[in-house]
Amino acid sequence: MTTDKHTLDRLFATIESRKGADPASSYTAKLFGKGKAKIAQKLGEEATETVIAAMGGDQREVASESADLLYHLLVLWAETGVAPEDVWAILDEREGVSGIAEKASRKE
């Protein structure tokens, strides 16, 4: 499906639409019902699974686990009030800046 919006933006909109939905009808609604700590825990689990897949060397598995990781990250954004545009703006600000210089400029 091709639209003007990026896949992640469309997914985020779907995730947002699940807020307040019946947890029995939606995995996303179920996650929202469990709260921020559980969502963050799931994100950590998916990150670990992505690392394990990468170490195994199976590209399809890395892609699949990466999709799970991104989904759970977007659920966490929705739970904490972060919009994808907020993240895209920060990435745009960092574009063309050395990673070393960017990290050094952060307030400690």
Side-chain angles (χ1 to χ4, degrees):
M1 172 183 216
T2 304
T3 66
D4 290 342
K5 286 192 160 198
H6 187 278
T7 302
L8 292 176
D9 293 313
R10 293 190 312 270
L11 178 57
F12 187 78
T14 300
I15 288 167
E16 283 273 288
S17 76
R18 300 299 194 265
K19 284 183 173 178
D22 179 2
S25 69
S26 162
Y27 174 71
T28 304
K30 189 176 192 178
L31 280 174
F32 282 132
K34 291 183 177 183
K36 182 171 47 175
K38 182 62 176 178
I39 294 167
Q41 177 188 351
K42 283 299 297 176
L43 178 63
E45 290 170 10
E46 295 301 338
T48 299
E49 290 172 10
T50 304
V51 169
I52 291 167
M55 297 308 293
D58 181 338
Q59 288 180 328
R60 175 75 181 157
E61 189 66 18
V62 173
S64 178
E65 292 300 340
S66 295
D68 293 345
L69 178 61
L70 287 169
Y71 161 78
H72 285 88
L73 178 60
L74 293 177
V75 173
L76 184 66
W77 288 357
E79 177 67 18
T80 59
V82 173
E85 297 80 22
D86 300 333
V87 178
W88 309 157
I90 291 169
L91 289 172
D92 286 344
E93 289 170 10
R94 293 179 182 176
E95 188 172 4
V97 177
S98 157
I100 294 170
E102 189 281 324
K103 191 164 184 157
S105 72
R106 293 184 198 174
K107 296 178 178 133
E108 300 288 328

